[in-house]
């Protein structure tokens, strides 16, 4: 080591800024976040970075509205794509679509680039646009009710714990009887059947389903449908492996889920994001630690996911986040304060980018103190620093290459190189229609499933009962005619009035009862041949 290098190292040991910067001097591939801020100055020679291999250790991007969280997502997503890592982004407000178009040079961009020693070049990145169920621009993303599952469905229907358990029982019944739950009318049909006179006995051995609980579920489904949720459930079901693609030039495809058309349905889209993540977890093989992630998933508006969540739901989220790392997927939660994320989940987020917080109210001040406690010890006065950060500045701590937390670093972040705003609506529409996935997912398919099967059983049983009643009536009329003819010719003895039993059999009430019995019998016979095979993926 040269004398000049020794002197620099010695200076760093006595210089807090140098000590902080040394914690970010990684040897392997890393993403460049920005330049260190210390004592009111930006130090372009002190770069703050995050190791590429540590992106599957999850992270948190937090900060008050308007502090630059979306631009931070864009900055990280661009560099991941450039390193061949696919990215998933939820575009809540419609301003992330610009990642596919080159950015626009300007004075503010030039100034930021000089401040952080960035060689800024306008660059667009390969992208794919999706929409929930085809509402809004994008390739439609749909899930079947079966794949969505009872826990996530309970969350989106806002059911309590007892109702969630009952819904799980309904799913179990449908699965064992081979009744495929593809869309919401399938689920509605099964619930209605299980509380009917014919269906009540079906669940007695495993707990039963109360009429009250079924009514709550059916009303929740009705409210859900009036919000337009019918479009989100059905086929063709989206294959989440589409999110793992790379472009022909080796860059990772940035998958952007366009949500402006459903931004007034936060419970829905936040739960749908969790379904995407859970589906990835179920399908991907174990790979352990990789040189770079297979996918980085940004979970925007994360507080909506956890608001009002049941214990079972939180346990499922926690388990998914904990285990999906070994499948090569990194998850970044994006929200306003760390307290929006449950402690068990927050503990697994090794990489942190905390934008400014506001302390205008007592609740704000409490949230600020709670946020400071989530950081390692620091050379900064974090309470003061977090309220004084400017737009595009953040407090950063990440996991180093050996998995240890880096020193807390106030950072002026780099500027994204793609367009910081939405692309034109016509360009977005053109990109969607040009996608190879459009022909695969655009048109919905409504094949035979639980609703059709139950309806067919009912119709067949009712037809059978009607036919039997008609035959009985015809036979009765024939006998009556025969007796009348015999009386007219004098060959027959005087006949007594119809017996009470005959009167009952011929009544409309009896025919109605026979029809009901026939319906039940028909359903029992039909269900016996449904089988228990799960839906083919």
């Amino acid at each position: 080591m040269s004398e000049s290098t020794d002197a620099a190292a010695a200076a760093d040991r006595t210089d807090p800024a140098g000590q902080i910067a040394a914690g970010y001097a990684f040897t392997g591939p890393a993403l460049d976040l920005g330049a260190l801020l210390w004592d009111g100055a930006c130090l372009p020679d002190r770069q703050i970075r995050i190791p590429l291999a540590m992106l599957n250790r999850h992270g948190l991007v937090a900060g008050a509205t308007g502090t630059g969280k979306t631009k931070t997502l864009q900055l990280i997503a661009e560099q991941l794509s450039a390193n061949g890592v696919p990215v998933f982004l939820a575009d809540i407000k419609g301003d992330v679509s610009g990642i596919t178009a080159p950015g626009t040079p300007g004075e503010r961009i030039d100034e930021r680039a000089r401040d952080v020693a960035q060689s800024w070049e306008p660059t667009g990145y390969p992208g794919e646009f999706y929409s929930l169920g085809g509402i809004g621009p994008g390739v439609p993303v749909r899930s079947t009710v079966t794949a969505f599952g009872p826990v996530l469905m309970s969350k989106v229907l806002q059911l309590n714990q007892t109702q969630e358990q009952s819904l799980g029982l309904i799913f179990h019944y449908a699965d064992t009887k081979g009744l495929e739950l593809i869309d919401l009318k399938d689920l509605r049909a099964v619930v209605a059947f299980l509380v009917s006179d014919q269906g009540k006995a079906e669940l007695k051995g495993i707990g039963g389903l109360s009429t009250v609980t079924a009514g709550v579920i059916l009303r929740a489904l009705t409210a859900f449908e009036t919000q337009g949720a019918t479009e989100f459930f059905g086929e063709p079901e989206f294959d989440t492996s589409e999110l793992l693609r790379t472009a022909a030039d080796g860059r990772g495809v940035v998958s952007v889920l366009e949500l402006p058309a459903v931004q007034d349905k936060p419970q829905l889209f936040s739960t749908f994001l969790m379904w995407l993540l859970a589906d990835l977890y179920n399908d991907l093989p174990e790979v352990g630690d990789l040189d770079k992630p297979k996918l980085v998933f940004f979970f925007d508006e994360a507080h909506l996911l956890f608001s009002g969540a049941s214990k079972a739901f939180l346990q499922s989220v926690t388990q998914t986040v904990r285990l999906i790392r070994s499948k090569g997927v990194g998850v970044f939660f994006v929200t306003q304060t760390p307290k929006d994320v449950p402690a068990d989940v927050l503990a697994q987020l090794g990489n942190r980018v905390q934008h400014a917080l506001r302390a205008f109210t007592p609740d704000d001040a409490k949230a600020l103190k709670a946020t400071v406690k989530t950081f390692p010890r620091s050379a900064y006065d974090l309470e003061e620093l977090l309220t004084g950060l400017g737009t595009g500045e953040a407090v950063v701590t990440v996991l180093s290459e050996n998995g240890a937390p880096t020193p807390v670093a106030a950072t002026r972040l780099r500027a994204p190189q793609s367009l910081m705003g939405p692309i034109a609506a016509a360009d977005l529409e053109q990109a969607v229609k040009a996608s190879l996935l459009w022909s695969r997912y655009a048109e919905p398919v409504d094949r035979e499933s639980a609703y059709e099967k139950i309806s067919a059983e009912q119709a067949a049983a009712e037809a059978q009962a009607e036919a039997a009643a008609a035959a009985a009536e015809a036979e009765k009329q024939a006998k009556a005619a025969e007796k009348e003819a015999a009386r007219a010719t004098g060959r027959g003895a005087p006949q007594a009035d119809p017996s009470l039993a005959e009167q009952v059999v011929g009544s409309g009430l009896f025919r109605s009862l026979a029809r009901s019995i026939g319906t039940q019998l028909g359903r029992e016979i039909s269900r016996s041949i449904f089988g228990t095979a799960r839906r083919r993926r």
Side-chain angles (χ1 to χ4, degrees):
M1 184 179 292
S2 67
E3 291 184 7
S4 60
T5 304
D6 288 339
D12 279 348
R13 284 192 293 270
T14 59
D15 173 20
Q19 291 176 358
I20 294 171
Y24 294 86
F26 309 123
T27 57
L31 309 187
D32 296 309
L33 296 179
L36 181 69
L37 289 170
W38 180 258
D39 198 22
C42 183
L43 309 177
D45 59 329
R46 306 290 173 86
Q47 291 291 305
I48 304 303
R49 311 162 74 218
I50 178 171
L52 184 60
M54 292 293 110
L55 267 296
N56 72 330
R57 301 298 178 93
H58 311 320
L60 176 74
V61 178
T65 301
T67 55
K69 296 191 299 294
T70 301
K71 300 302 178 284
T72 298
L73 303 189
Q74 197 167 338
L75 172 67
I76 296 174
E78 289 177 354
Q79 296 187 63
L80 286 167
S81 175
N83 280 277
V85 179
V87 178
F88 173 88
L89 293 173
D91 189 6
I92 307 294
K93 299 182 291 292
D95 54 3
V96 182
S97 60
I99 197 168
T100 60
T104 304
E107 190 174 321
R108 293 180 63 183
I109 294 288
D110 293 341
E111 181 182 358
R112 177 59 62 106
R114 285 194 301 270
D115 284 349
V116 299
Q118 177 184 9
S119 298
W120 189 91
E121 294 183 5
T123 309
Y125 295 83
E128 193 79 66
F129 298 101
Y130 298 98
S131 65
L132 285 185
I135 296 182
V139 174
V141 175
R142 301 182 187 88
S143 167
T144 64
V145 171
T146 293
F148 207 67
V151 175
L152 288 175
M153 185 63 73
S154 297
K155 174 67 167 63
V156 83
L157 294 178
Q158 302 182 51
L159 304 181
N160 63 29
Q161 183 176 351
T162 300
Q163 294 155 1
E164 180 179 327
Q165 291 170 349
S166 294
L167 189 61
L169 200 62
I170 294 165
F171 272 72
H172 172 74
Y173 170 79
D175 185 50
T176 56
K177 294 297 183 179
L179 295 172
E180 295 177 283
L181 303 177
I182 293 176
D183 50 28
L184 292 180
K185 70 178 184 295
D186 291 325
L187 180 56
R188 178 184 292 280
V190 174
V191 175
F193 169 71
L194 289 175
V195 291
S196 68
D197 291 339
Q198 297 88 349
K200 283 180 180 178
E202 292 289 313
L203 294 181
K204 276 189 176 178
I206 51 176
L209 175 67
S210 76
T211 304
V212 173
T213 298
V216 171
I217 294 173
L218 289 172
R219 287 193 296 274
L221 281 171
T222 299
F224 195 34
E225 288 169 327
T226 59
Q227 296 176 13
T230 305
E231 304 294 330
F232 309 133
F233 293 96
E235 291 183 321
E237 184 177 8
F238 183 68
D239 184 350
T240 49
S241 66
E242 308 284 11
L243 304 179
L244 304 175
R245 295 180 299 133
T246 55
D249 60 6
R251 292 185 296 172
V253 172
V254 181
S255 298
V256 182
L257 183 63
E258 292 293 325
L259 294 172
V262 292
Q263 61 179 308
D264 59 337
K265 303 174 179 64
Q267 288 276 7
L268 175 63
F269 68 69
S270 64
T271 311
F272 242 88
L273 293 180
M274 194 61 225
W275 167 72
L276 287 172
L277 196 59
D279 198 70
L280 282 165
Y281 166 71
N282 289 329
D283 289 350
L284 289 174
E286 294 279 343
V287 293
D289 290 327
L290 302 173
D291 293 336
K292 62 182 181 182
K294 297 175 72 171
L295 173 72
V296 175
F297 192 105
F298 287 93
F299 209 123
D300 208 353
E301 301 290 343
H303 64 283
L304 300 171
L305 178 72
F306 301 111
S307 176
S310 68
K311 183 178 179 181
F313 181 82
L314 291 177
Q315 288 174 341
S316 297
V317 173
T318 303
Q319 182 181 31
T320 300
V321 173
R322 183 173 66 249
L323 299 179
I324 203 169
R325 178 186 69 80
S326 63
K327 300 195 173 190
V329 177
V331 183
F332 273 70
F333 290 95
V334 186
T335 190
Q336 294 196 0
T337 72
K339 72 181 183 65
D340 293 333
V341 181
D344 288 345
V345 177
L346 189 63
Q348 300 176 55
L349 311 183
N351 304 297
R352 300 274 298 278
V353 181
Q354 176 68 60
H355 288 265
L357 291 174
R358 307 302 179 216
F360 299 138
T361 69
D363 285 344
D364 291 341
K366 186 177 179 180
L368 174 61
K369 290 182 181 295
T371 297
V372 169
K373 291 179 181 179
T374 64
F375 280 92
R377 287 187 178 182
S378 168
Y380 298 94
D381 180 345
L382 285 180
E383 280 195 42
E384 180 180 347
L385 177 61
L386 285 172
T387 56
L389 291 170
T391 302
E393 296 177 347
V395 172
V396 175
T397 179
V398 302
L399 294 180
S400 66
E401 291 167 311
N402 61 9
T406 59
V408 174
T411 307
R412 181 162 295 164
L413 298 167
R414 293 184 169 216
Q417 298 187 127
S418 56
L419 183 64
M420 289 188 279
I423 60 174
D427 294 338
L428 177 56
E429 187 71 21
Q430 182 179 359
V432 171
K433 296 295 175 63
S435 170
L436 297 177
L437 302 182
W438 179 254
S439 60
R440 192 178 308 170
Y441 295 107
E443 290 299 321
V445 176
D446 188 11
R447 64 183 176 89
E448 184 183 62
S449 49
Y451 171 80
E452 288 79 13
K453 290 177 180 179
I454 290 174
S455 297
E457 290 180 42
Q458 184 175 9
E462 289 180 354
Q464 183 179 5
E466 289 284 359
E473 182 67 21
E475 183 178 355
K476 176 186 173 184
Q477 295 293 338
K479 288 182 178 179
E482 183 181 345
K483 290 177 182 178
E484 185 63 31
R487 185 182 298 114
T489 58
R491 291 198 301 269
Q495 298 295 314
D497 291 334
S499 68
L500 177 62
E502 290 173 322
Q503 293 180 49
V504 170
V505 169
S507 69
L509 177 62
F510 179 84
R511 288 198 299 273
S512 176
L513 179 61
R515 185 159 55 249
S516 175
I517 294 172
T519 298
Q520 182 175 358
L521 180 61
R523 282 178 173 168
E524 291 293 334
I525 293 171
S526 184
R527 269 199 307 278
S528 70
I529 61 174
F530 281 166
T532 57
R534 297 182 66 88
R535 177 181 59 83
R536 292 193 299 269
R537 290 298 300 256

